[in-house]
Amino acid sequence: MSTGLGPIDNIAAELAKLPSIGRKTAQRLAYHIVSLPVEQVNALATALLEGRKTIRFCSECGNYATDEKCAICQNAERDHSQVCVVRDPRDVAAMERVHDYRGLYHVLHGVLSPMDGIGPGDINIKELLLRLRDDTVKEIIIATNPDIEGEATAAYIARLIKPLGVRVTRIAHGVPVGSDLEYADEVTLSKAIEGRRDL
Amino acid sequence: MSTGLGPIDNIAAELAKLPSIGRKTAQRLAYHIVSLPVEQVNALATALLEGRKTIRFCSECGNYATDEKCAICQNAERDHSQVCVVRDPRDVAAMERVHDYRGLYHVLHGVLSPMDGIGPGDINIKELLLRLRDDTVKEIIIATNPDIEGEATAAYIARLIKPLGVRVTRIAHGVPVGSDLEYADEVTLSKAIEGRRDL
């Protein structure tokens, strides 16, 4: 789907490498971008370059950070006795949008997946254990996704950490609030029954 | 929807200015971009900057070009007696994908729209008339969109050019090939009947 215009094709080719941007969308965006004021294109390019250069991993929790430690780990007002374990930095952003959780995080940067050859040494599990050396952390809340890999990872971490005397919990899975029972899939319904509580 | 990470928010804010990229998509892309190899982010930023810097307007037809004239206007094998009038450079790309048309183009960079204060002086109509000074061009094919502004623009250009003795035609509008009559809207059906031909 060449436009016959090299510079536009170059932009489209680079954009099409990004997730969820197909070749048609990439070409449409490329046409739009060359029609923008030079300042706006500069601002976009600078944001990309600066962003990639500035972002690093928090030495404590593995989340994205601009300093050696991320803003959450540096925040003394957060509850340092709770650590929520998630798969990647986007999950931290999702949890933070809720405003309910005031503890810290630990980003695994992946989940166990024997099919893809991802074992315990390939994700940040060792780093999680290191955080338990002093007795600050009292509870590990595992918030990996409720799929096969996420559940296996949760079970693996629980098995490692429980013997250390730290409480290990798993976020609840069930029928989403506001949704209809009729449309819930069987596994979710099964989880909802399994996780039932006394009223 | 701040992530608490300035560099990621900056990328997301710039991306969200592009058409069809909402705030959620922008944030997802921003997270993805900071996780990419530096080389790939550099390649994307360079494509954007170089593309915007290199692209200019063809002095003949107004299409995007990398030289003074676009590749189509420079191509001696194309039929220089036909000029297809379109709204913007993306329409040229759409026509070129068909491979059927071998004439030249004229890009108006807009259509007449009194509601938005866009009059004949605001789009490249004068430039079109200038191209008719020598007698090379024998036919003007107006391919603006079949909406109110596109039709008004087509009628306006036809009125200007017909007195000069140049043939003015309009692309056909009707039921799209492969679609179902049942699903065609009334205006399209009306156009299809209006444009009927003897068999």
Side-chain angles (χ1 to χ4, degrees):
Chain A
M1 216 166 74
S2 159
T3 62
L5 286 157
I8 292 181
D9 287 342
N10 288 346
I11 296 176
E14 291 298 329
L15 288 174
K17 291 177 186 168
L18 300 177
S20 83
I21 296 196
R23 293 203 308 162
K24 261 197 155 167
T25 306
Q27 194 178 91
R28 194 161 37 76
L29 288 172
Y31 267 103
H32 180 80
I33 286 164
V34 296
S35 76
L36 291 174
V38 175
E39 301 76 45
Q40 192 180 335
V41 180
N42 285 344
L44 172 57
T46 307
L48 296 172
L49 294 170
E50 284 298 310
R52 180 61 188 82
K53 207 169 70 182
T54 317
I55 286 290
R56 46 171 163 161
F57 296 124
C58 171
S59 64
E60 185 78 11
C61 74
N63 187 16
Y64 286 141
T66 47
D67 297 318
E68 199 230 325
K69 288 193 184 188
C70 75
I72 296 171
C73 285
Q74 282 187 50
N75 188 343
E77 286 177 21
R78 306 221 25 157
D79 183 349
H80 284 238
S81 75
Q82 281 187 324
V83 171
C84 177
V85 177
V86 295
R87 191 184 54 183
D88 60 43
R90 283 181 57 203
D91 296 328
V92 173
M95 289 288 289
E96 286 297 289
R97 278 201 286 278
V98 185
H99 296 300
D100 268 352
Y101 179 67
R102 300 297 302 157
L104 305 182
Y105 293 94
H106 189 80
V107 181
L108 295 174
H109 289 282
V111 281
L112 298 178
S113 177
M115 296 279 283
D116 303 316
I118 298 171
D122 300 312
I123 61 178
N124 288 359
I125 290 182
K126 193 178 76 235
E127 291 78 358
L128 176 61
L129 294 176
L130 288 174
R131 293 178 71 179
L132 307 177
R133 279 176 309 184
D134 57 13
D135 282 340
T136 318
V137 179
K138 305 295 180 197
E139 181 180 0
I140 297 286
I141 303 165
I142 306 179
T144 51
N145 287 331
D147 50 22
I148 297 176
E149 288 88 1
E151 293 294 355
T153 308
Y156 181 86
I157 292 174
R159 226 171 24 240
L160 277 182
I161 291 177
K162 269 186 180 167
L164 307 177
V166 175
R167 187 180 174 203
V168 182
T169 57
R170 180 93 172 96
I171 55 163
H173 300 307
V175 182
V177 178
S179 84
D180 199 309
L181 214 67
E182 194 182 350
Y183 301 120
D185 64 285
E186 289 153 40
V187 184
T188 299
L189 264 186
S190 154
K191 286 271 179 197
I193 295 166
E194 192 185 311
R196 70 190 181 278
R197 291 173 190 208
D198 290 310
L199 289 176
Chain B
M1 217 166 72
S2 159
T3 63
L5 286 157
I8 292 182
D9 287 342
N10 287 345
I11 295 177
E14 291 299 328
L15 288 174
K17 292 178 185 167
L18 300 176
S20 83
I21 297 197
R23 294 204 305 163
K24 262 199 153 166
T25 306
Q27 194 178 90
R28 195 160 36 76
L29 288 172
Y31 267 103
H32 180 80
I33 286 164
V34 296
S35 77
L36 291 174
V38 174
E39 302 75 48
Q40 192 180 333
V41 180
N42 285 344
L44 172 56
T46 307
L48 295 172
L49 294 169
E50 283 300 308
R52 179 60 189 83
K53 206 169 72 183
T54 318
I55 286 290
R56 45 174 166 161
F57 295 125
C58 171
S59 63
E60 185 80 11
C61 74
N63 187 16
Y64 286 140
T66 46
D67 296 319
E68 199 229 322
K69 289 192 183 187
C70 75
I72 296 171
C73 284
Q74 282 187 50
N75 187 343
E77 286 177 21
R78 307 227 16 163
D79 183 349
H80 284 236
S81 76
Q82 282 186 324
V83 171
C84 177
V85 178
V86 294
R87 191 185 53 181
D88 59 43
R90 284 183 55 204
D91 296 329
V92 174
M95 290 288 289
E96 286 297 288
R97 278 201 287 278
V98 185
H99 296 300
D100 268 354
Y101 179 68
R102 298 299 302 158
L104 305 183
Y105 293 94
H106 190 81
V107 181
L108 295 174
H109 289 282
V111 282
L112 297 179
S113 177
M115 295 278 285
D116 303 316
I118 299 170
D122 300 310
I123 61 178
N124 287 359
I125 289 182
K126 194 179 77 236
E127 291 78 358
L128 177 60
L129 294 175
L130 288 174
R131 292 178 71 177
L132 306 177
R133 279 176 308 185
D134 57 13
D135 283 339
T136 318
V137 179
K138 305 295 182 200
E139 181 180 0
I140 297 286
I141 303 164
I142 307 180
T144 52
N145 286 331
D147 52 21
I148 297 176
E149 288 88 2
E151 293 294 356
T153 307
Y156 181 88
I157 292 174
R159 225 170 26 241
L160 277 182
I161 291 177
K162 269 185 178 167
L164 308 177
V166 176
R167 187 181 174 204
V168 182
T169 56
R170 180 91 173 98
I171 55 163
H173 300 308
V175 181
V177 177
S179 82
D180 199 309
L181 215 67
E182 195 181 347
Y183 301 118
D185 63 285
E186 288 152 41
V187 183
T188 299
L189 263 185
S190 154
K191 288 271 178 195
I193 295 167
E194 192 186 310
R196 68 190 181 280
R197 289 170 190 211
D198 290 309
L199 290 178

